[in-house]
Every structure is written in structure tokens, then in C-alpha cells.
Amino acid sequence: MHFSIPETESRSGDSGGSAYVAYNIHVNGVLHCRVRYSQLLGLHEQLRKEYGANVLPAFPPKKLFSLTPAEVEQRREQLEKYMQAVRQDPLLGSSETFNSFLRRAQQETQQVPTEEVSLEVLLSNGQKVLVNVLTSDQTEDVLEAVAAKLDLPDDLIGYFSLFLVREREDGAFSFVRKLQEFELPYVSVTSLRSQEYKIVLRKSYWDSAYDDDVMENRVGLNLLYAQTVSDIERGWILVTKEQHRQLKSLQEKVSKKEFLRLAQTLRHYGYLRFDACVADFPEKDCPVVVSAGNSELSLQLRLPGQQLREGSFRVTRMRCWRVTSSVPLPSGGTNSPGRGRGEVRLELAFEYLMSKDRLQWVTITSPQAIMMSICLQSMVDELMVKKSGGSIRKMLRRRVGGTLRRSDSQQAVKSPPLLESPDASRESMVKLSSKLSAVSLRGIGSPSTDASASDVHGNFAFEGIGDEDL
């Protein structure tokens, strides 16, 4: 999750009090909350009491006198690094103190009173699920409410997550981010003030072996089935005409498990597809479509005069990655207060092991770069859990009598319609080869080094690569 404090604001105090500087905290490029230095200092002191000073990153000190514009900018940069460091720390970033601070600040900034509301959550097939929640309910609360409405067992809730998406004109979903524990879903979606933004329930794991756990339950099976049919219809899962015929035959027989078993063998099953973007692989400014899944990033591309091709970047061969952002200055080149900025440009860059002794940077320019980074991190986390012999099954906290709150009116997952005939305009793809050796790779320099070391995501799964894997 990418925290930034790209700007400050001068705001008037309450009841005509003296003006103060407010820091706008952005999460994944979107305003999350607006806080004062004193509030962040209070958070720091609370964390220090709970975890000790040695665990915490450096916090910018108080000043006796008013800050100059240069000092305000310096403090902004220091606070941004502080928030990023706390969030990335496994202990501090998952603490209730840190997350509850951000939830309260989000609610106060958006000026949303605590009250009961009806919140619409979509399933992958577009089915609407209405749940009654509080505006102050955190992500876990809303996820539990949706599970209760669908009658999904509490031990399977951890296999699903809520995602913020933007519904495009063609009805397809563009994924913005996975909703986190530090935010209030109702506030997050309504503060965007656009009907395009929705909350979607989707499975949250990558390894299809975990499907077996979910498929044992009727509701879990229906959710997976509906998601898979939807992904095939969107063209996210790659299907030949013969495979399409077999799938449709299984649909007609209502053989959902057999349908999913066949789907598991298909290319891009369970992948998340992103909007079309640009990469510098295999050449600069190459139009690509990126998909994430099965411990890899897949790039579909078309070189001049060639058919559609695909290159695969295994997450176990990425030494590290980072997201960088830049904001074009307005015409004239000055960044004075009050002058508008251009649209933020986001890039995901990863250092990839192209051969046994050659690392190379690959850069993808996309508004969804942060979501791609989140997918990479979750794939690495899943690989590490599996490597250690652990389970992804989450032990959810119980807050109401030790059991999950159940809805009085439950809702069934609707069975999706039969698959339509395959789109004749979809082309088959030629794989660039798993080693990427079929492509002449240009030398790609390291991304700009203006980002601090804390912005780089080291890949612990990278260490387990042996020569036999290359």
C-alpha cells in the first residue's frame, strides 16, 4: 500500500483561530485524510508507548517558531517517509493503534457521521448484495456482513476480499485497490463522489490448490463458479473453441465442480487483468496488457507486423520492485501554491533475473501500478506461507458474542447464464517462451534514483531460486 503526503494546505483554525498547516495523506494516489502535525505526533507518542522508541522510525521534531516554506516542505517529506516506514513495518503497520488512527482521520476528513446505512457490494458476475452497515465499520466488518448475507461460513471468509473498482462504460471492472484494514469502505467509496466506483467481492488468493477448500462449501463453490464464468466472458481466461465447447457442455449439465476443474487448466485462470498500458519491454513505449496470477506478471503485446504475443515474468525471479510517481508541473515549470498540477504518472519497475548472471530493470507505466505492486506482494506472501508449511486460512477476530453476526435475510448467489459463443475477434497468442529468450531485449537502465530505499520492495521469495530454475 503506497502512502504519500504530496501536498500541504493552509487552513483556518476552528472558531476563527490561527491558521495551521494540514497534511494531506494519500493512499494509492487518492486523498485518504487530512491531519495536523500535532495529530501525527500524538500517533507517534502512542506507538512509542506501546512498542518502544527503538522500533519506531525517526519523527520530525517540534519547532519553537513558525516554519518557513522550505521548512514546511522538509517536514512534509519527513512525515511522508515516516508514514511509509510505519506502514511497511509488519508490527507497526498492522497495529490497531495505527489503523484506527487512519480510520478516525478518514471519517473526520470526509465529515461522515456514524450512522447505519445500506451499502451495495457486487459479486464478480455483477449481482448486487445489499448489506446494512455502519459508516464507521472497517473493512473486516463489511466483509463479514457480506459473508453473513450470502451464508458463507466464517472459516472461508479469509479466502475472499473486498476490492474498490471503477466500472467502465463497457461494464468491465478496472481494479483500483484491495480495501485495507485502515479504511472505512462506505467512506472510501462515497468520498470519490462518482457512481463509477463500486465495491466488489472476489477471491483473494492466487494458488488454485486452495480452491479445494472453498469448493467443499455450496456458497463458496457458487462464488468461484460465478467469478470464473465472468472471467471467461470478459476474455481474462484464455479459451480455445474446443475448450469453450466443453465448458458450455458442463454448464448445461450444471456440473460446477467439473467446470472449475477444467477451468483450472486454462491459461490465466484466477488472474487479475489490468487496463491497457505501456511498458519498455521488449522495446520502449510498447503497448501491453498486464495480468497477474500464478506467481507471475503476464504481458500481452503486439510487435509491429507480428501476431499477439505473451511474455511471463515469474515473481520468484524478481529481485525487487518499486512504484514511483511523478506529477507534471503546470506550464511555466513553477510549482507555486494554488497552481494546478497535471495527472499523476505511476510506474512499476522491477529488477528481473533474465539469465543466470544478468539482472535487468523492466518498467510498466500504468495508473494501476500500485495495484500491480500489491498483487506482487500478496503473491510473494502466499509463496512464503506455502514454503513454510503454513495456511492462508485467516483466524478472524470475533467481536459479537464470539461468533460471526448472521443476517436475518440471506441471499443466494445467482447462477450465471450459459457462456456465449467465443469472440471470433480474439486472437490466439504465441508465448515468447518462459525464459524470454525468444525476444531481443534492449538494455534498460535502472529507474531514476530519486526514490528512497524504503520505497523498494525486497523479494524474500527471490532467495530460493536455484540454477535449475533458470
Side-chain angles (χ1 to χ4, degrees):
M1 200 52 56
H2 185 73
F3 278 79
S4 63
I5 306 179
E7 63 212 4
T8 61
E9 290 185 18
S10 295
R11 301 183 68 84
S12 300
D14 298 334
S15 303
S18 58
Y20 64 89
V21 174
Y23 297 89
N24 293 336
I25 297 180
H26 288 234
V27 177
N28 291 7
V30 177
L31 177 66
H32 179 80
C33 60
R34 187 177 293 111
V35 294
R36 301 175 67 165
Y37 170 84
S38 59
Q39 291 174 285
L40 292 172
L41 177 60
L43 169 65
H44 175 73
E45 291 175 343
Q46 184 62 36
L47 290 172
R48 185 176 60 184
K49 288 180 183 178
E50 294 183 25
Y51 299 100
N54 293 335
V55 177
L56 291 169
F59 190 84
K62 291 182 179 179
K63 299 284 187 179
L64 294 178
F65 304 102
S66 298
L67 301 181
T68 65
E71 289 173 329
V72 169
E73 175 60 17
Q74 181 185 44
R75 176 177 279 183
R76 182 199 65 77
E77 293 176 354
Q78 292 171 337
L79 289 172
E80 181 175 77
K81 290 179 180 179
Y82 175 84
M83 292 296 290
Q84 290 173 348
V86 170
R87 174 59 187 169
Q88 292 174 14
D89 185 280
L91 181 65
L92 302 175
S94 61
S95 68
E96 181 60 19
T97 298
F98 180 70
N99 290 318
S100 62
F101 171 84
L102 288 172
R103 291 195 296 266
R104 287 194 305 270
Q106 182 188 27
Q107 188 173 8
E108 292 170 2
T109 298
Q110 302 299 338
Q111 299 180 334
V112 177
T114 298
E115 58 186 355
E116 187 171 320
V117 293
S118 181
L119 179 63
E120 181 182 278
V121 176
L122 300 182
L123 304 186
S124 294
N125 61 356
Q127 180 182 342
K128 297 178 181 179
V129 179
L130 287 177
V131 291
N132 293 323
V133 298
L134 295 176
T135 53
S136 58
D137 276 346
Q138 58 186 292
T139 301
E140 185 179 297
D141 296 318
V142 176
L143 180 59
E144 288 185 356
V146 174
K149 187 79 172 184
L150 297 173
D151 201 24
L152 182 71
D154 54 352
D155 63 338
L156 291 182
I157 297 176
Y159 290 81
F160 294 87
S161 292
L162 298 174
F163 293 85
L164 181 66
V165 304
R166 181 177 60 82
E167 189 173 21
R168 302 200 311 248
E169 291 183 0
D170 60 2
F173 294 146
S174 175
F175 281 75
V176 178
R177 70 173 184 270
K178 178 181 175 181
L179 294 179
Q180 301 291 319
E181 64 273 19
F182 56 75
E183 62 185 314
L184 311 176
Y186 176 84
V187 178
S188 293
V189 71
T190 57
S191 64
L192 293 169
R193 294 175 175 81
S194 172
Q195 295 298 318
E196 292 181 339
Y197 291 94
K198 314 283 184 182
I199 296 176
V200 168
L201 179 74
R202 186 178 173 89
K203 74 176 185 179
S204 60
Y205 57 90
W206 302 100
D207 190 341
S208 60
Y210 294 119
D211 284 349
D212 291 344
D213 297 340
V214 181
M215 289 165 60
E216 291 176 0
N217 174 262
R218 173 184 55 82
V219 178
L221 173 63
N222 289 338
L223 286 170
L224 282 185
Y225 177 68
Q227 176 178 312
T228 303
V229 172
S230 176
D231 287 355
I232 292 173
E233 290 285 15
R234 290 188 186 120
W236 287 17
I237 299 176
L238 309 182
V239 184
T240 65
K241 289 183 178 180
E242 175 58 24
Q243 291 166 340
H244 191 281
R245 185 193 64 76
Q246 295 175 22
L247 289 167
K248 190 168 183 177
S249 175
L250 291 171
Q251 268 194 303
E252 292 170 344
K253 298 174 184 177
V254 198
S255 302
K256 296 180 181 179
K257 285 190 177 181
E258 290 76 9
F259 181 96
L260 288 170
R261 294 297 182 204
L262 176 55
Q264 287 172 342
T265 67
L266 304 179
R267 183 74 179 133
H268 289 189
Y269 170 79
Y271 282 48
L272 204 62
R273 178 180 285 198
F274 300 95
D275 299 340
C277 57
V278 173
D280 60 2
F281 166 84
E283 57 189 34
K284 188 177 179 181
D285 296 329
C286 184
V288 297
V289 174
V290 179
S291 299
N294 193 30
S295 302
E296 69 178 16
L297 280 186
S298 162
L299 271 64
Q300 298 177 26
L301 55 102
R302 187 194 304 277
L303 298 176
Q306 299 183 19
Q307 70 182 109
L308 198 61
R309 292 177 176 266
E310 179 185 18
S312 299
F313 294 89
R314 302 294 298 174
V315 71
T316 49
R317 295 175 67 178
M318 295 180 186
R319 191 182 72 85
C320 62
W321 70 85
R322 69 181 176 199
V323 174
T324 56
S325 61
S326 60
V327 182
L329 294 176
S331 57
T334 59
N335 190 20
S336 57
R339 298 195 63 169
R341 293 187 174 195
E343 186 176 350
V344 175
R345 174 188 172 99
L346 292 171
E347 293 183 341
L348 169 70
F350 55 88
E351 194 175 23
Y352 195 74
L353 191 62
M354 294 291 182
S355 60
K356 184 177 179 179
D357 56 358
R358 186 166 69 95
L359 286 162
Q360 188 166 325
W361 283 95
V362 176
T363 301
I364 300 170
T365 303
S366 166
Q368 296 172 294
I370 296 169
M371 184 67 190
M372 294 178 191
S373 173
I374 293 170
C375 290
L376 288 177
Q377 186 60 59
S378 62
M379 284 190 280
V380 168
D381 292 343
E382 194 171 296
L383 283 171
M384 298 306 293
V385 168
K386 191 172 184 179
K387 183 179 179 180
S388 65
S391 170
I392 64 167
R393 192 184 295 266
K394 297 178 182 177
M395 298 300 295
L396 297 176
R397 296 192 302 272
R398 305 290 180 252
R399 290 182 294 278
V400 183
T403 59
L404 178 67
R405 290 176 290 180
R406 285 293 164 193
S407 174
D408 293 331
S409 57
Q410 292 171 346
Q411 181 174 339
V413 180
K414 295 179 181 177
S415 184
L418 294 179
L419 290 169
E420 297 179 0
S421 299
D423 187 350
S425 65
R426 287 181 190 158
E427 299 180 60
S428 60
M429 283 189 295
V430 176
K431 197 163 178 58
L432 292 178
S433 111
S434 59
K435 308 295 185 186
L436 304 176
S437 58
V439 176
S440 175
L441 294 168
R442 296 177 55 184
I444 303 170
S446 171
S448 59
T449 56
D450 56 350
S452 66
S454 63
D455 297 324
V456 177
H457 299 262
N459 182 4
F460 292 104
F462 181 81
E463 300 174 352
I465 301 175
D467 290 345
E468 66 275 11
D469 298 317
L470 300 179

